[in-house]
């Protein structure tokens, strides 16, 4: 069994199935970790990852990298983008990987598949959706990294290594505790982000 097959099985075990998002997360993790000199088959304590979508891809990335929200090494930014940024917390070396824009249809990839699925979903054609999903799994697995992924490398700042909370405050509106400097300051008042969002919604 190849490393890719082993890792796909690992991702499938966590996510529950193989789908295009799981393929993307697995492929992204393998490429990034290779470029960072890390082995995806071994524990990697020096890796931190930010993902920019709340779909299937982050599950595969968690399974492959071992990064988790609870360990504060997996950051979830809900931007709706198939993008993941991998950081070596020792060196600051950063690999940003996104799904390559294939709208020109020269090498149809993830976005072409999403466009097709969206159209089929509007038609409520579930049989065809499942057929397209199965086809996409094979196609995305077989594509080269260059055709499927846009890979950017740069040297960033070494992030703070996650640890025990060093800062705990109380929101002046709801009275709940806020850790890790996540609060907002409004003049002399400390406000949590959820209360701030409620204020913005009312205005």
């Amino acid at each position: 069994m190849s490393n890719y097959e082993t890792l796909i099985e690992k991702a499938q075990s966590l996510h529950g199935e193989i789908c295009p998002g799981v393929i993307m997360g697995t492929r992204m993790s393998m490429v990034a970790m290779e470029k960072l000199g890390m082995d995806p088959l071994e524990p990697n304590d020096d890796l931190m990852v930010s993902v920019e979508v709340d779909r299937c891809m982050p599950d595969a990335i968690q399974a492959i990298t071992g990064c988790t929200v609870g360990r504060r090494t997996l950051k979830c930014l809900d931007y709706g983008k198939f993008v993941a940024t991998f950081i070596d917390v020792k060196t600051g070396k950063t690999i940003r990987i996104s799904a390559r824009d294939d709208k020109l249809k020269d090498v149809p990839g993830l976005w072409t598949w999403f466009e097709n699925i969206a159209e089929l979903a509007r038609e409520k054609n579930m049989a065809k959706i499942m057929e397209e999903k199965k086809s996409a799994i094979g196609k995305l697995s077989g594509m080269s990294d260059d055709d499927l992924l846009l890979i950017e490398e740069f040297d960033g700042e070494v992030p703070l290594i996650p640890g025990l909370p060093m800062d705990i405050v109380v929101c002046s509106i709801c009275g709940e505790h806020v850790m890790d400097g996540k609060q907002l300051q409004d003049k002399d008042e400390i406000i949590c982000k959820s209360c701030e969002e409620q204020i913005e919604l009312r205005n």
Side-chain angles (χ1 to χ4, degrees), residues 77-182:
L77 312 172
D78 189 12
Y79 296 161
K81 301 168 71 174
F82 259 70
V83 174
T85 302
F86 300 76
I87 306 170
D88 185 329
V89 299
K90 276 191 173 179
T91 66
K93 184 174 180 181
T94 300
I95 310 294
R96 184 181 189 272
I97 303 184
S98 56
R100 186 174 287 282
D101 187 350
D102 61 346
K103 290 183 179 179
L104 296 178
K105 308 294 191 298
D106 52 344
V107 185
L110 182 74
W111 295 117
T112 298
W113 180 77
F114 268 131
E115 288 173 355
N116 292 341
I117 288 296
E119 182 63 31
L120 292 171
R122 285 190 288 271
E123 298 171 0
K124 299 183 179 179
N125 190 341
M126 290 307 299
K128 187 65 175 174
I129 286 174
M130 297 309 295
E131 183 182 320
E132 284 287 328
K133 179 179 175 181
K134 184 176 180 180
S135 173
I137 289 170
K139 186 178 293 183
L140 296 177
S141 294
M143 289 176 70
S144 70
D145 292 337
D146 287 340
D147 286 338
L148 185 63
L149 306 171
L150 178 62
I151 304 163
E152 303 168 89
E153 300 183 43
F154 53 92
D155 293 323
E157 294 183 9
V158 176
L160 291 175
I161 297 175
L164 296 173
M166 302 298 292
D167 177 62
I168 302 174
V169 298
V170 176
C171 176
S172 60
I173 296 176
C174 67
E176 294 178 345
H177 292 79
V178 182
M179 297 188 297
D180 304 319
K182 304 294 185 180

Side-chain angles (χ1 to χ4, degrees), residues 10 22 33 49 64 68 73 89 120 124 138 142 145 152 159 186:
K10 194 174 180 180
V22 166
M33 294 177 79
V49 184
I64 306 307
T68 68
T73 51
V89 299
L120 292 171
K124 299 183 179 179
D145 292 337
E152 303 168 89
D186 184 8

